[in-house]
Amino acid sequence: MQELINQYFDVDFMVDHFDEVLEGFWFTIQLSVVSGVLALIWGLILAQLRQIPGKAALPVRFATIAYIDVFRGVPLLIMILLISGSVPLLDFLPEWLRLPQWFGKPDNFWFGVFAITITYGAYMAEVYRSGIESVPRGQMEAARSLGMSHRQAMRFVIVPQAVRKVFAPLLNDFIALMKDTTLVSAIALSEVALVGRDLQSQFLNSSGLILGAIMFLVVTLPLARLVDRLIAREQGRFTRGAPRVEAL
Amino acid sequence: MSVGTTTGGSMVSLQGVCKRFGHLEVLRGVDLEIKRGEVVCVLGPSGSGKSTLLRCVNLLEPPEEGDIHLEERSICKGSGSGEQGWELDFVRQRVGIVFQQFNLFPHKSALENVTLAQEKVLGRPGAEARQKGTELLQRVGLGDKLDEYPERLSGGQQQRVAIARALAMDPHVMLFDEVTSALDPELVKEVLDVMRELAEEGMTMICVTHEIGFAREVADRVVFMDEGLVVEEGPPSQVIDNPRQERTKKFLGLVLER
């Protein structure tokens, strides 16, 4: 028993290495927020490209669908390795893109951001789409019959309803994204998982990794509760007045 | 642009209108003439093309063949030529439609439902739109529900908001697409009363309905459709009470039996 505690929950070890692990976790947060925001934007762009009406936009729709299908199906780790190991070798690219050092962050940080944005943009595009498509057809027809243009109908009628519906699932995707940022440890970026792993191999003690996991939980558990509440509220919108079974 | 003079008073005129969904021919050459101020009720079994006919008139489902004139102006020149030939703005400024499923905007209050398009489409200032919206909601008996959201309103109340919403755009013609079919029986009357009042005020109305009593009482003319064609049309006393066509007799027999 003591052995288990020493291996996984060595409080002294955690205290000694708290700063290192926290530094790694701070890196994780930065990586998550930057790629999370970019993926949210990129996903919305993809979702709209996929919805452009008309025959002329068929190639655009087709290309977007292909993109979404491909990058939802390719593992993020492969994307990370592919980008970080190839982009610096592409001599025709300008140096600011080949070896990005923006905002004082190392190039591997940005390669991680690219890979996560490319992959999660595809996931989030599908979430947006499901939101837009879940708004009943009659809403668009009512708006158009009142003289609104397609764009006005989207802006004042469809998107406001869609956003309410997708907020919770988008947040869910963000939690998944945050956890997946640990994959950039594969390209030697000293985020929380790599810091924990280094401590583990150096001291043969896993408490550093456990500490990192705890830090994740401190952030992800409240977010997960928030998602649940949002979903419950969203469902409540349409069953208001009906007796509600309170969760324990 | 042809000038829409009111000679003869033709409001809506359909000539040889055809509409297909895939291989399904929903409308197979419909001719119909509706005069200004006229109330026309369209009856027929489900699948007869009545709703599609209405949706053609406001170009929610543009016809593939034939032509439709609104106030003597062609609204779908060169059918099949795509959107260029459709007079969307012209049509939607003049034609209001009320749907079977109400289709109120659930994220907007009753009053906001009525003011949104006034502000965004007609460019009316907020105060003016609200005043007009309030008057209309009072007129349909919902003066005390201005700030309620649709989910808090009964079906009949929602449908009355939908009527007010359409009227707020000052339409010249109102289309009613089975507007009482989704309502509980006890709520039907409050909606029909609003429509009856509207008819008395001289609004041009095309009503697809299963309410034979309403048609008999309010309609100037009744049109019976079946399988994408107009089978019989005339005053209610003729089409409803003394139908000439076998199909009309059969349908009315089934409906009035209930």
Side-chain angles (χ1 to χ4, degrees):
Chain A
M1 188 63 190
Q2 192 58 42
E3 199 176 332
L4 283 179
I5 291 175
N6 286 343
Q7 178 60 235
Y8 298 111
F9 297 100
D10 185 336
V11 176
D12 292 336
F13 186 89
M14 288 186 186
V15 171
D16 287 344
H17 299 280
F18 187 83
D19 289 350
E20 286 164 70
V21 178
L22 187 64
E23 206 174 312
F25 189 65
W26 172 233
F27 211 81
T28 297
I29 295 281
Q30 292 175 327
L31 195 58
S32 305
V33 170
V34 173
S35 25
V37 169
L38 290 177
L40 274 175
I41 297 168
W42 180 225
L44 186 57
I45 293 170
L46 287 171
Q48 296 197 331
L49 289 176
R50 195 181 170 151
Q51 303 265 335
I52 299 176
K55 225 172 225 170
L58 193 70
V60 177
R61 285 200 299 272
F62 185 80
T64 312
I65 292 168
Y67 173 100
I68 292 171
D69 285 352
V70 166
F71 288 106
R72 280 195 308 164
V74 174
L76 178 57
L77 182 56
I78 288 187
M79 287 308 298
I80 290 170
L81 297 174
L82 199 60
I83 289 176
S84 66
S86 66
V87 171
L89 305 178
L90 300 176
D91 287 331
F92 62 88
L93 290 176
E95 185 160 324
W96 60 267
L97 191 59
R98 204 151 45 84
L99 298 165
Q101 305 282 334
W102 313 323
F103 303 105
K105 293 272 173 267
D107 53 357
N108 271 358
F109 177 87
W110 294 110
F111 292 143
V113 166
F114 293 160
I116 295 169
T117 302
I118 286 170
T119 304
Y120 271 88
Y123 287 121
M124 291 184 177
E126 286 297 278
V127 174
Y128 284 118
R129 181 172 74 107
S130 73
I132 290 169
E133 286 181 355
S134 72
V135 177
R137 223 172 100 92
Q139 291 290 310
M140 178 58 93
E141 291 184 347
R144 295 302 305 267
S145 74
L146 289 164
M148 286 186 221
S149 62
H150 182 86
R151 189 185 276 259
Q152 282 179 319
M154 285 302 272
R155 175 159 164 216
F156 299 118
V157 177
I158 308 297
V159 171
Q161 293 181 57
V163 164
R164 268 164 240 223
K165 292 179 193 211
V166 298
F167 195 79
L170 281 179
L171 202 55
N172 242 343
D173 269 3
F174 180 75
I175 294 172
L177 176 150
M178 205 177 149
K179 293 188 294 176
D180 273 357
T181 57
T182 52
L183 288 171
V184 299
S185 61
I187 52 174
L189 205 60
S190 56
E191 47 66 62
V192 68
L194 192 62
V195 172
R197 170 92 180 111
D198 287 347
L199 289 172
Q200 190 188 39
S201 36
Q202 193 180 342
F203 299 98
L204 302 179
N205 187 324
S206 300
S207 301
L209 276 173
I210 293 286
L211 181 59
I214 292 170
M215 288 178 180
F216 261 103
L217 289 174
V218 167
V219 176
T220 54
L221 280 182
L223 284 179
R225 305 294 352 138
L226 181 61
V227 170
D228 286 351
R229 292 187 66 157
L230 288 170
I231 290 172
R233 201 186 65 177
E234 185 59 40
Q235 286 169 346
R237 282 174 60 79
F238 299 103
T239 55
R240 197 170 291 166
R244 200 176 299 171
V245 183
E246 290 295 337
L248 291 174
Chain B
M1 185 169 32
S2 69
V3 182
T5 52
T6 56
T7 52
S10 169
M11 185 54 106
V12 179
S13 156
L14 292 84
Q15 295 110 23
V17 168
C18 294
K19 178 75 189 175
R20 271 182 295 274
F21 294 115
H23 293 294
L24 188 67
E25 282 188 276
V26 183
L27 297 177
R28 300 188 297 151
V30 173
D31 299 309
L32 195 59
E33 184 83 29
I34 290 118
K35 292 197 277 294
R36 193 175 295 273
E38 202 177 16
V39 176
V40 173
C41 283
V42 184
L43 308 179
S46 60
S48 59
K50 326 179 285 291
S51 289
T52 307
L53 183 77
L54 276 196
R55 295 161 66 85
C56 279
V57 171
N58 85 339
L59 298 181
L60 274 179
E61 308 280 5
E64 270 130 16
E65 280 169 48
D67 200 358
I68 300 177
H69 285 75
L70 177 64
E71 298 185 333
E72 301 183 358
R73 172 164 159 181
S74 171
I75 58 171
C76 45
K77 284 187 273 279
S79 317
S81 70
E83 283 210 36
Q84 307 92 298
W86 307 342
E87 303 278 353
L88 280 182
D89 290 340
F90 178 83
V91 171
R92 298 204 173 133
Q93 276 164 23
R94 286 165 181 75
V95 182
I97 185 165
V98 183
F99 302 94
Q100 181 177 355
Q101 299 296 340
F102 329 137
N103 295 345
L104 290 185
F105 306 136
H107 59 304
K108 302 273 181 197
S109 70
L111 183 58
E112 288 166 344
N113 263 279
V114 183
T115 56
L116 181 66
Q118 289 188 65
E119 291 177 37
K120 305 302 178 194
V121 177
L122 301 179
R124 279 189 192 140
E128 193 186 326
R130 277 193 298 280
Q131 199 196 335
K132 172 130 192 160
T134 309
E135 282 169 17
L136 282 166
L137 286 171
Q138 280 166 351
R139 200 170 126 194
V140 299
L142 295 170
D144 56 338
K145 303 283 186 197
L146 299 181
D147 298 321
E148 290 287 6
Y149 283 80
E151 61 182 358
R152 312 261 304 182
L153 299 173
S154 73
Q157 290 169 335
Q158 289 192 49
Q159 196 58 295
R160 285 184 282 152
V161 174
I163 294 173
R165 178 174 71 176
L167 290 175
M169 308 304 284
D170 299 321
H172 300 184
V173 196
M174 283 285 282
L175 311 177
F176 293 88
D177 188 5
E178 297 195 33
V179 294
T180 57
S181 299
L183 296 178
D184 291 336
E186 75 272 20
L187 303 177
V188 168
K189 185 175 178 298
E190 64 188 55
V191 172
L192 292 183
D193 283 347
V194 169
M195 291 168 66
R196 196 171 286 131
E197 225 171 89
L198 209 53
E200 280 163 14
E201 286 165 21
M203 175 65 78
T204 310
M205 294 165 56
I206 310 177
C207 315
V208 168
T209 185
H210 292 299
E211 300 291 334
I212 305 291
F214 175 82
R216 183 188 275 136
E217 183 196 340
V218 178
D220 298 307
R221 194 147 49 97
V222 172
V223 173
F224 177 74
M225 282 183 72
D226 195 16
E227 293 179 348
L229 288 169
V230 172
V231 175
E232 184 164 3
E233 61 176 302
S237 57
Q238 178 201 316
V239 179
I240 296 178
D241 298 322
N242 293 299
R244 292 173 189 168
Q245 302 292 330
E246 267 319 301
R247 275 187 289 179
T248 319
K249 281 181 200 167
K250 201 171 158 200
F251 173 76
L252 287 168
L254 289 170
V255 173
L256 293 172
E257 232 168 53
R258 285 188 306 172

